[in-house]
Amino acid sequence: MKATIQRVMKASVEVDGHLISSIGRGICVLVGIHKDDSEKDKEYLARKILSIRLWEDENGRKWARSVTDMQYEVLCVSQFTLYYYLKGNKPDFHDAMPGAMSQEFYHSFLDILKRLYDPSKIKDGKFGAMMQVNIQNDGPVTLDLESPTVKQYLEDKAKQDKSAKTSPE
């Protein structure tokens, strides 16, 4: 799994001009699901998202407080385009988990976030819809996270691809 986390002053999601979700201060998380993701990946990413330290503490020490420490909100948006690679100039999304599987996977990921934190503070967009995501960045602060099992898979795949290109035929 992959997540792009943005610290925000506020964020919202609209579909067809209708407000679906909105949050005040907190984080907006774009969530990508790899075709080989597992329960371990969901747990890992959920824990990291909720514990990553993006705010300063009461003494002014930077990068000291998490979204849960601050009791802020989390807006998640499913985004299969995070798992792309370029074929020439065209993005290819074959590494993303297919739609029906990823929808169930994404919703169970949200359930984990709600189990680990205040469920009323976890919001999301509309899976599979064409969404307009409105973000007012705070900082701006943007970080990318990836679960270790997928990261290792991608590194192994890159090594295999490289060796296949360099081996004599």
Side-chain angles (χ1 to χ4, degrees):
M1 285 185 80
K2 190 182 282 192
T4 297
I5 301 170
Q6 295 184 307
R7 189 175 73 183
V8 299
M9 295 301 289
K10 61 183 175 180
S12 64
V13 175
E14 294 179 16
V15 175
D16 296 327
H18 295 86
L19 182 67
I20 301 297
S21 291
S22 67
I23 64 168
R25 287 198 79 177
I27 55 177
C28 181
V29 183
L30 306 177
V31 179
I33 303 170
H34 191 273
K35 64 184 178 187
D36 295 326
D37 278 335
S38 68
E39 290 297 315
K40 271 176 122 173
D41 297 294
K42 284 190 272 194
E43 288 282 343
Y44 174 86
L45 208 60
R47 290 183 191 289
K48 282 294 184 184
I49 287 167
L50 295 175
S51 64
I52 194 163
R53 297 179 296 170
L54 302 174
W55 287 271
E56 65 182 47
D57 65 14
E58 58 281 348
N59 298 319
R61 191 181 65 183
K62 300 210 181 287
W63 314 110
R65 307 283 309 259
S66 70
V67 69
T68 57
D69 294 334
M70 302 299 287
Q71 292 294 296
Y72 289 159
E73 296 176 294
V74 178
L75 174 61
C76 291
V77 178
S78 62
Q79 186 146 358
F80 75 93
T81 61
L82 291 180
Y83 277 111
Y84 76 95
Y85 61 92
L86 288 178
K87 281 180 134 176
N89 291 323
K90 182 181 178 187
D92 184 302
F93 305 108
H94 282 94
D95 282 340
M97 187 178 283
M101 283 175 53
S102 63
Q103 183 171 10
E104 183 179 321
F105 196 93
Y106 174 73
H107 286 293
S108 66
F109 170 72
L110 291 175
D111 290 341
I112 292 169
L113 287 172
K114 290 174 183 177
R115 186 187 75 220
L116 296 173
Y117 188 42
D118 179 349
S120 70
K121 295 187 186 291
I122 306 295
K123 310 284 174 67
D124 75 305
K126 185 174 181 182
F127 188 92
M130 183 61 101
M131 295 175 269
Q132 290 71 51
V133 181
N134 302 297
I135 299 169
Q136 183 180 346
N137 280 322
D138 180 15
V141 172
T142 303
L143 301 173
D144 290 321
L145 290 176
E146 191 161 21
S147 57
T149 53
V150 171
K151 190 174 185 180
Q152 188 60 51
Y153 165 83
L154 294 174
E155 287 171 2
D156 292 347
K157 185 178 175 187
K159 286 177 189 174
Q160 288 172 355
D161 291 348
K162 186 176 180 181
S163 66
K165 289 179 184 176
T166 59
S167 65
E169 296 192 30

